[in-house]
Amino acid sequence: MRHYCGAEAQERRLAKIEADWLAAPEDAELLEVYTCGLCGSPIFEGEEYLAVDNCGEVCSECLEGLSAKDFALAALELKTGAAGVNGR
């Protein structure tokens, strides 16, 4: 085993401290706050979501991935129709 002295030892210690500080925490647990009412994915603390009366919370992935029509049908429980059909 090689022993480091002086400036080289200090450099190695600082490099290890920096690497440890930049590394993702291994045991960090994300706190699940809500569950998406559309896809069932967890919504973790700090993540963006939309609260919808009919279906609860909707995650940002669903919000970004759905068209306005799909969102209205899925989350708002709205229905589409065809003009002039069924007496309209």
Side-chain angles (χ1 to χ4, degrees):
M1 181 172 162
R2 182 176 177 198
H3 294 280
Y4 296 94
C5 302
E8 190 176 0
Q10 179 69 16
E11 231 176 270
R12 290 182 59 82
R13 279 193 299 270
L14 290 175
K16 182 178 181 338
I17 291 169
E18 181 181 35
D20 290 346
W21 182 73
L22 293 174
E26 294 175 15
D27 296 329
E29 289 187 29
L30 296 174
L31 177 63
E32 181 179 339
V33 181
Y34 301 112
T35 300
C36 179
L38 295 181
C39 70
S41 294
I43 301 172
F44 296 106
E45 184 176 37
E47 289 185 329
E48 185 178 31
Y49 71 94
L50 177 67
V52 180
D53 290 338
N54 293 352
C55 72
E57 290 71 29
V58 178
C59 70
S60 60
E61 287 82 18
C62 284
L63 288 174
E64 292 173 8
L66 293 175
S67 68
K69 177 183 175 182
D70 292 338
F71 179 77
L73 294 172
L76 303 178
E77 298 176 1
L78 299 177
K79 306 217 181 320
T80 60
V85 178
N86 295 330
R88 291 187 176 185

